[in-house]
Amino acid sequence: MDKARKLLIAGNWKMNKTVAEALDLVRGLQIEVGLVKEVDIVICPPFTALSEVSKAVLDSKSIRLGAQDLSQHNFGAYTGEVCAGMLKEFSVRYVVLGHSERRQFQKETDALINAKAKTALAASLKPIICVGETLAEREANITEKIVDTQVTGCLAGLTKEQMDEVVIAYEPVWAIGTGKTATSAQAQEVHAFIRQRVAALFDETVAKRARILYGGSVKPSNTRELMSQPDVDGALVGGASLEIRSFSDIVKNSI
Ligand code: 13P
């Protein structure tokens, strides 16, 4: 697939996989897609598996490591939190921020996600910032308003140079783990809107370079169609990233 921006296929393992299971998965992925150069591949295991998985991908030509969250603080009395420096110890390059599950269950706000993005960027970690509307918001026809507020809030105060390191993930909440994928036309419409907002907030060059991933029930069978949309620059995959076959087929179908 010939696109202006290099596609990025990221697997968000969420709260799944023991260390042993994580190693089985990553070793299988190394065999299947370990030499892929056409797309960037990122896997985001839970914190507890980062140490061992990082050793398994140390020499990988294609697979990079991501985390699922970080603290906005760099150290101190924040029980249960994990900071950027701790992630860097395991060669983590990316970090998912503002996932809808964290917005919902941990009550994360755009302001907090923005603070975390700044902390990540200061530590040379690339944030994958998630935005997306709920089903009620889509049905109320306020998808663009919601996504605009999230994009504006999460990217506030970032420089154009920092934006080069930022990945945005559009994940309609109603499509996450439900088997309901946004149609490629629905995804394209919101992706184009996000790019337009990035151009307004920064400039056209920043917007043209920004990678915008789609997430929500991505599977091997819908990957090609979604990735063929001009403003879809990759995928953030949940359930289908937990198995060697489905995740490697998603990677292969995106090439
Ligand atoms: P599913 O692929 O399981 O729908 O999850 C998407 C997601 O939330 C990725 O971050």
Side-chain angles (χ1 to χ4, degrees):
M1 214 171 281
D2 191 21
K3 298 199 87 165
R5 295 162 289 270
K6 192 173 185 191
L7 293 189
L8 193 165
I9 306 294
N12 174 10
W13 296 3
K14 306 191 181 183
M15 199 174 70
N16 295 291
K17 305 290 177 189
T18 61
V19 171
E21 291 165 348
L23 285 174
D24 280 348
L25 177 52
V26 72
R27 285 176 186 144
L29 293 176
Q30 286 273 50
I31 293 166
E32 289 293 327
V33 295
L35 295 174
V36 165
K37 291 199 181 69
E38 294 87 342
V39 299
D40 289 332
I41 304 171
V42 176
I43 52 172
C44 306
F47 290 134
T48 48
L50 283 175
S51 170
E52 289 302 312
V53 172
S54 80
K55 290 179 207 157
V57 295
L58 204 59
D59 300 324
S60 178
K61 299 264 180 297
S62 62
I63 302 173
R64 299 282 171 266
L65 204 53
Q68 298 176 20
D69 185 36
L70 56 58
S71 168
Q72 71 273 34
H73 304 290
N74 284 322
F75 61 90
Y78 301 101
T79 302
E81 296 286 278
V82 171
C83 67
M86 295 168 177
L87 300 180
K88 300 275 293 184
E89 275 193 301
F90 302 125
S91 310
V92 169
R93 312 271 186 97
Y94 292 82
V95 60
V96 176
L97 295 178
H99 191 279
S100 61
E101 288 146 16
R102 296 201 63 83
R103 290 177 184 264
Q104 183 184 351
F105 302 125
Q106 274 76 32
K107 305 284 174 253
E108 292 204 357
T109 61
D110 292 329
L112 176 65
I113 297 157
N114 178 243
K116 291 184 174 192
K118 287 174 177 159
T119 300
L121 288 162
S124 303
L125 290 168
K126 296 176 195 296
I128 302 175
I129 297 178
C130 304
V131 299
E133 81 287 2
T134 63
L135 183 59
E137 289 161 348
R138 176 159 282 265
E139 285 174 346
N141 271 322
I142 54 170
T143 297
E144 290 195 349
K145 181 170 166 276
I146 295 295
V147 169
D148 185 20
T149 303
Q150 293 173 335
V151 167
T152 306
C154 293
L155 302 181
L158 301 191
T159 65
K160 292 178 186 176
E161 291 69 35
Q162 285 178 318
M163 279 303 293
D164 259 354
E165 307 300 314
V166 171
V167 177
I168 298 171
Y170 169 57
E171 297 207 316
V173 179
W174 49 271
I176 296 177
T178 58
K180 263 194 194 175
T181 322
T183 64
S184 51
Q186 282 172 324
Q188 168 56 26
E189 195 181 4
V190 181
H191 281 232
F193 173 74
I194 293 172
R195 200 175 303 287
Q196 189 190 313
R197 293 307 302 145
V198 172
L201 292 166
F202 298 92
D203 63 29
E204 284 291 341
T205 312
V206 169
K208 277 207 182 95
R209 287 149 78 121
R211 287 197 284 193
I212 307 175
L213 315 184
Y214 169 78
S217 299
V218 175
K219 11 181 209 284
S221 58
N222 58 27
T223 302
R224 234 177 257 288
E225 169 77 16
L226 285 162
M227 296 307 126
S228 69
Q229 300 302 309
D231 288 294
V232 177
D233 309 313
L236 183 55
V237 186
S241 73
L242 297 175
E243 284 176 18
I244 299 163
R245 171 99 342 260
S246 47
F247 191 65
S248 43
D249 281 351
I250 287 172
V251 169
K252 289 172 191 170
N253 290 350
S254 70
I255 297 171

